Amino acid sequence: MSHFTTDRRSLLKGGATLLAAAATMSSDQLLGYAKAWAQTAQWKPEAGAKINMMRWKRFVEAEDVAFMKIVDAFQKATGVTINVSNESYDDLQPKASVAANTGQGLDMVWGLYSLPHLLGNKVTDVKDVADYLGGKYGGWTQSAKDYCQTRDGKWVGIPIAATGGLLNYRIAACEKAGFKEFPKDTAGMLEMFKGLSKNGTPGGMALGHASGDANGWLHWALWAFGGNLVDEKDKVIVNSPETAASLEYIKQLYATFIPGTVSWNDSSNNKAFLAGQLYCTNNGISIYVSAKKENPAIAEDMNHAYLPIGPMGKPAELHLAFPMLIFNFTKSPQACKALTAFMLEADQFNPWIEGAQGYLSHFLNAYDKNPIWTADPKTTPYRDVAKRARTPAGLGTLDENAAAAIADFIVVDMYANYCTGREDVKGAMASAERQAKRLYRA
């Protein structure tokens, strides 16, 4: 539960001192560390190694700056040439698929959700990197293993970080709607959204093909009511009374939304919130980070909360995971593994996530201690998203089928079709069922 407060907490003492020092490491210090690290690392880059990496476009500028400092130090320390291209969330999967099918163009992809599984046998097993990092930094969260470890023990990617899909809300508007604290349950959230709409301070969440925002909150909606796309044996079970109840709830919630959410992408709600048109939405912390810089009044009047508990009776959250994969046709596999391991070493990962200001959350348990998570209580809820997260597979197995299901927006389209009146409840569930069965039968 997040209370509507604007208090600040002091930085952690003791162990935080070392982390704070890491955040102020100069470029020369980082390069010195990188050179020392390269001398002892178990992965030795190939002579003349070149890496083409594709990653998602930044939402927080300081995160991108910190990331590129890491890349620059690694290049200078190892002699590896790295080219980083940036693509929108929605373009990552198709461009990665082209590279996988042609066997050229990219060596590494820092992608979304279950992308390594979608590309199947085109990715390199990075169990050695996973074992090294997990052994050194307090082990991986369960969701990290669920995302990147296969049934036979291979690691098809390294989960670099996650972005928490939490509720971003305006404190004064919610209080005016009658809520001193964010509702604990789905019924309370619906009443709050009705109050916000009535007062001319509406909320809204994406029902379009927004890879992060729409997939995140609509999978929560399905799971919170006990619905699932598949069961533990990967049998399609989406056509159910629980799914129907969820659809009915979301249609009522949608009736209170600001217009246009069916066509929103992952940046639409950010823009509307910062423009003072939107008062509650699901998002990473990027709205808050931007508001502190561009509109301090909005930043002071906003806070974050986890999505509430539904009839299922326990948290049911899908947060946006960012796995790093290495293609098995790269000519520089050792260089790619070395770079992946180097990125998650404490000396650069700590200042990197501090630069991200809460937008990136960790999958390695040791990084719970970074002071970014307690310096500002509005940031704290994002610390634990990797511990709370499910994968897009829900009850089922995270494999190529589950990866295709989220890439095809099956769950998102089911809700959008019903909320907009394109299909009734039975029709929306039947359409989702047909699409899912085609995937899982294949």
Side-chain angles (χ1 to χ4, degrees):
M1 179 60 61
S2 294
H3 293 273
F4 293 180
T5 178
T6 57
D7 293 341
R8 295 292 184 269
R9 298 176 187 172
S10 62
L11 288 175
L12 288 175
K13 297 179 180 179
T17 303
L18 179 61
L19 296 177
T24 60
M25 184 184 291
S26 69
S27 295
D28 287 342
Q29 290 172 319
L30 179 57
L31 178 57
Y33 169 76
K35 288 180 177 178
W37 184 90
Q39 290 295 317
T40 59
Q42 66 187 80
W43 303 279
K44 302 301 179 183
E46 297 79 2
K50 295 181 180 180
I51 297 174
N52 288 321
M53 177 198 293
M54 179 172 67
R55 66 157 284 182
W56 40 273
K57 284 184 177 178
R58 63 173 168 79
F59 277 75
V60 176
E61 183 177 3
E63 177 275 316
D64 188 56
V65 170
F67 170 71
M68 292 309 298
K69 284 184 177 179
I70 294 171
V71 171
D72 183 60
F74 183 85
Q75 289 187 104
K76 291 176 179 176
T78 63
V80 175
T81 300
I82 303 172
N83 176 55
V84 180
S85 58
N86 299 274
E87 300 292 344
S88 69
Y89 282 179
D90 295 335
D91 288 337
L92 274 172
Q93 182 266 316
K95 292 191 175 184
S97 296
V98 169
N101 290 333
T102 61
Q104 59 184 359
L106 294 172
D107 301 281
M108 307 174 69
V109 178
W110 190 16
L112 314 179
Y113 292 126
S114 43
L115 181 63
H117 297 275
L118 185 64
L119 303 179
N121 60 5
K122 298 297 180 70
V123 300
T124 297
D125 181 6
V126 289
K127 184 178 184 300
D128 51 345
V129 180
D131 288 347
Y132 166 77
L133 291 168
K136 189 172 182 179
Y137 293 111
W140 294 99
T141 63
Q142 184 57 49
S143 64
K145 300 173 186 177
D146 293 340
Y147 262 108
C148 289
Q149 192 174 30
T150 63
R151 288 177 176 175
D152 58 2
K154 294 179 180 179
W155 283 71
V156 293
I158 295 296
I160 302 295
T163 286
L166 306 189
L167 289 162
N168 291 228
Y169 60 85
R170 294 287 294 272
I171 297 169
C174 291
E175 289 183 341
K176 186 177 179 181
F179 292 84
K180 295 289 186 181
E181 57 180 23
F182 205 93
K184 296 179 180 180
D185 56 27
T186 48
M189 189 171 83
L190 176 59
E191 291 307 308
M192 192 188 77
F193 268 74
K194 288 179 178 178
L196 289 172
S197 178
K198 181 180 178 181
N199 292 337
T201 56
M205 295 181 272
L207 276 93
H209 284 189
S211 297
D213 294 341
N215 271 314
W217 86 277
L218 289 171
H219 277 79
W220 160 82
L222 179 63
W223 297 334
F225 281 78
N228 285 280
L229 189 65
V230 299
D231 65 12
E232 293 87 345
K233 297 183 179 179
D234 294 322
K235 178 184 177 182
V236 176
I237 58 169
V238 70
N239 197 333
S240 70
E242 292 80 9
T243 301
S246 175
L247 284 163
E248 294 288 5
Y249 173 82
I250 295 303
K251 188 165 187 177
Q252 294 180 69
L253 197 67
Y254 172 71
T256 72
F257 283 3
I258 188 173
T261 59
V262 174
S263 62
W264 277 5
N265 60 28
D266 281 296
S267 63
S268 301
N269 61 340
N270 296 56
K271 295 174 182 177
F273 201 106
L274 291 168
Q277 301 166 351
L278 182 66
Y279 292 78
C280 186
T281 191
N282 71 304
N283 206 64
I285 205 171
S286 54
I287 292 175
Y288 181 54
V289 171
S290 295
K292 285 192 291 184
K293 181 179 180 181
E294 301 170 10
N295 195 326
I298 288 181
E300 186 66 20
D301 183 46
M302 68 178 292
N303 209 341
H304 307 101
Y306 290 113
L307 285 154
I309 305 299
M312 187 183 70
K314 59 183 180 180
E317 299 163 13
L318 176 65
H319 300 293
L320 179 56
F322 295 117
M324 181 74 79
L325 66 87
I326 300 170
F327 283 117
N328 59 13
F329 50 79
T330 178
K331 295 179 180 178
S332 306
Q334 293 302 304
C336 291
K337 287 184 177 184
L339 175 59
T340 303
F342 181 72
M343 287 168 61
L344 289 176
E345 293 281 13
D347 290 76
Q348 53 271 354
F349 189 74
N350 275 313
W352 182 12
I353 58 173
E354 288 180 38
Q357 300 174 69
Y359 186 72
L360 296 183
S361 303
H362 51 279
F363 283 98
L364 287 163
N365 292 314
Y367 295 119
D368 284 353
K369 297 178 181 179
N370 191 295
I372 190 66
W373 304 122
T374 49
D376 180 349
K378 293 183 179 182
T379 303
T380 305
Y382 287 91
R383 177 187 58 200
D384 299 325
V385 295
K387 292 182 173 65
R388 299 170 64 98
R390 291 184 173 193
T391 74
L395 297 176
T397 306
L398 187 58
D399 56 13
E400 187 173 353
N401 294 325
I406 194 168
D408 291 348
F409 294 96
I410 290 177
V411 169
V412 172
D413 287 345
M414 177 178 70
Y415 284 96
N417 288 341
Y418 180 55
C419 288
T420 59
R422 288 194 291 265
E423 294 180 316
D424 61 14
V425 170
K426 292 183 179 179
M429 290 192 298
S431 293
E433 182 181 41
R434 284 193 300 272
Q435 294 177 69
K437 283 184 173 180
R438 281 197 295 268
L439 291 177
Y440 280 86
R441 282 172 182 167

